[in-house]
C-alpha cells in the first residue's frame, strides 16, 4: 500500500493493530467510458474529510472514539482484472485481521474484488446504472459489468436509484433482483423502500456499495457518467443509516473531483456516516 497524498482520512488515528475498520483507496479508472479522472477521488475525498466536525449528532458519537485506520492507496495495476485481484487480496487480509473494509474508488469495477473476498449474502448498491453487461469494451471487468460479476457470487441483489440501462437489463433486473428505480423511490419515499428492504434482509450480512452517480448530477456534478433525475444525498445517507449495521464491507466509488468539491464532500460525509452507523449497530 502507498499513498499518493500526504493526507489520510480525517480522524483515522488508530494503529492498524487496534483498528476495527480499515480504509484504503483504489486510484483506478482504466475502463472509464465517458469522463476520466475518478482515480483522483481517494485524495480529494480524504482532503474533504478535514472540513467535517468530529461529532456526529445523529449517533451522538465522536468519530475519533471509533478505532479506524487509513492504509493509504493500493498501487493499481493497469488492467481491470488485475486491479480486481489486488482489491480481493487486500480485503481478504482485512477479513483475516478481523477488520471491516472501507474502500474509496476509483471506478466501480473495483467492487467486484471486495465482494469476491467477502461473499456476502446480500449485495446492495446505489447506482444510476444497472451495470449488467457481461462484457463491455473487451473486458468482463469493465465498470459496466459490476452487477453481472457480483451475480456470480450472490443472486440476492438490491439496486437503488437506477435510471439508465438497456431494455433487456431492466427486464432482467426486475425479474431476478430487487430493483428500486429513482422514480420508484421518488414516488414511494426512501423510508418506505428501506422498511421493505430491511424486512427482506433481516440479520443477514450484506455488502454496501455507493456509486456517486446514484445522486442526481445536478446536486453533485463531479461524476464520470452523470445522470439527472436521481437520488438526493439525504436518500443515500438514509440507505447507509438503515443498512450499515449489517454490512461486512462498504465502498464509495465513481467520484470525479472536477468541480467545486461538493461531490467529494458528500462522499466524505457518507463514509463517516457508515463508520458511525456500523459502530453503533454492532454494539
Amino acid at each position: 500500500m502507498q499513498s499518493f497524498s500526504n493526507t489520510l482520512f480525517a480522524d483515522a488515528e488508530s494503529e492498524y493493530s487496534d483498528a476495527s475498520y480499515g480504509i484504503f483507496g483504489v486510484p483506478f479508472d482504466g475502463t472509464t467510458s465517458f469522463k476520466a479522472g475518478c482515480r483522483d477521488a481517494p485524495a480529494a475525498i480524504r482532503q474533504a474529510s478535514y472540513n467535517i466536525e468530529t461529532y456526529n449528532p445523529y449517533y451522538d458519537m465522536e468519530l475519533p472514539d471509533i478505532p479506524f485506520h487509513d492504509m493509504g492507496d493500493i498501487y493499481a495495476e493497469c488492467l481491470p482484472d488485475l486491479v480486481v485481484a489486488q482489491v480481493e487480496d487486500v480485503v481478504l487480509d482485512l477479513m483475516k485481521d478481523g477488520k471491516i473494509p472501507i474502500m474509496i474508488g476509483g471506478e466501480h469495477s473495483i467492487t467486484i474484488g471486495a465482494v469476491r473476498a467477502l461473499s456476502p449474502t446480500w449485495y446492495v448498491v446505489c447506482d444510476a446504472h444497472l451495470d449488467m453487461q457481461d462484457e463491455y469494451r473487451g473486458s468482463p471487468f469493465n465498470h459496466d459489468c459490476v452487477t453481472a460479476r457480483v451475480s456470480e457470487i450472490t443472486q440476492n441483489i438490491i439496486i437503488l436509484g437506477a435510471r439508465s440501462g438497456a431494455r433487456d437489463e431492466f427486464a432482467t433486473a426486475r425479474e431476478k433482483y430487487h430493483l428500486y428505480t429513482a422514480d420508484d423511490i421518488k414516488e414511494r419515499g426512501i423510508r418506505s423502500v428501506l422498511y421493505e428492504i430491511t424486512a427482506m434482509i433481516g440479520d443477514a450480512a450484506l455488502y454496501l456499495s455507493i456509486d456517486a452517480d446514484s445522486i442526481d448530477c445536478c446536486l453533485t456534478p463531479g461524476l464520470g457518467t452523470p445522470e439527472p433525475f436521481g437520488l438526493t444525498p439525504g436518500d443515500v445517507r438514509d440507505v447507509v443509516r438503515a443498512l450499515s449495521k449489517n454490512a461486512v464491507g462498504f465502498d464509495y466509488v465513481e467520484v470525479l473531483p472536477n468541480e467545486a468539491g461538493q461531490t467529494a464532500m458528500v462522499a466524505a460525509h457518507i463514509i463517516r456516516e457508515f463508520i458511525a452507523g456500523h459502530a453503533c449497530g454492532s454494539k
Side-chain angles (χ1 to χ4, degrees):
M1 306 290 286
Q2 71 179 68
S3 179
F4 297 102
S5 166
N6 292 325
T7 303
L8 297 178
F9 201 89
D11 304 314
E13 298 172 355
S14 297
E15 295 295 329
Y16 179 83
S17 58
D18 300 325
S20 299
Y21 305 87
I23 295 176
F24 68 101
V26 186
F28 176 72
D29 58 6
T31 77
T32 297
S33 51
F34 188 38
K35 292 191 285 186
C38 64
R39 71 180 65 187
D40 298 323
I45 292 168
R46 287 180 174 110
Q47 184 179 27
S49 71
Y50 283 83
N51 194 47
I52 305 172
E53 296 285 353
T54 60
Y55 178 64
N56 185 314
Y58 182 81
Y59 293 106
D60 187 24
M61 175 178 284
E62 290 280 352
L63 207 71
D65 291 340
I66 304 170
F68 67 102
H69 177 82
D70 189 340
M71 303 159 63
D73 296 333
I74 70 169
Y75 188 68
E77 298 285 359
C78 295
L79 299 176
D81 56 323
L82 299 181
V83 177
V84 165
Q86 286 181 290
V87 169
E88 185 175 5
D89 287 343
V90 172
V91 174
L92 284 170
D93 285 342
L94 285 163
M95 286 176 59
K96 179 186 67 178
D97 294 336
K99 304 180 192 310
I100 299 294
I102 299 171
M103 181 167 62
I104 308 175
E107 66 171 59
H108 209 168
S109 63
I110 64 177
T111 297
I112 300 166
V115 177
R116 279 186 174 178
L118 293 162
S119 295
T121 303
W122 288 86
Y123 172 71
V124 183
V125 61
C126 294
D127 200 332
H129 308 93
L130 293 175
D131 293 344
M132 291 170 57
Q133 298 295 322
D134 190 57
E135 177 273 339
Y136 189 66
R137 300 180 71 193
S139 175
F141 297 96
N142 189 282
H143 74 137
D144 198 28
C145 305
V146 181
T147 306
R149 297 289 76 76
V150 168
S151 71
E152 297 166 352
I153 302 159
T154 178
Q155 290 282 304
N156 297 320
I157 293 174
I158 298 171
I159 303 169
L160 296 154
R163 54 201 184 274
S164 178
R167 182 193 294 267
D168 62 336
E169 286 183 290
F170 273 93
T172 300
R174 289 189 173 103
E175 177 187 355
K176 291 187 174 182
Y177 312 133
H178 303 277
L179 173 63
Y180 299 90
T181 67
D183 284 340
D184 293 334
I185 292 168
K186 181 180 180 182
E187 181 178 343
R188 292 183 53 181
I190 192 64
R191 300 285 176 89
S192 171
V193 168
L194 287 170
Y195 181 82
E196 187 171 297
I197 289 171
T198 54
M200 273 194 292
I201 292 174
D203 295 328
L206 63 88
Y207 186 92
L208 181 56
S209 178
I210 308 296
D211 187 318
D213 65 31
S214 62
I215 299 173
D216 193 311
C217 65
C218 301
L219 301 175
T220 54
L223 304 168
T225 48
E227 297 282 351
F229 315 120
L231 304 182
T232 70
D235 291 335
V236 174
R237 185 180 65 174
D238 283 346
V239 171
V240 171
R241 285 177 173 176
L243 301 178
S244 57
K245 65 183 178 64
N246 287 58
V248 293
F250 174 79
D251 67 52
Y252 205 107
V253 298
E254 296 282 358
V255 171
L256 174 58
N258 65 346
E259 24 76 288
Q262 57 267 49
T263 311
M265 182 58 70
V266 169
H269 269 279
I270 296 295
I271 291 167
R272 294 170 69 90
E273 284 283 333
F274 174 80
I275 295 170
H278 189 279
C280 285
S282 61
K283 287 182 177 179

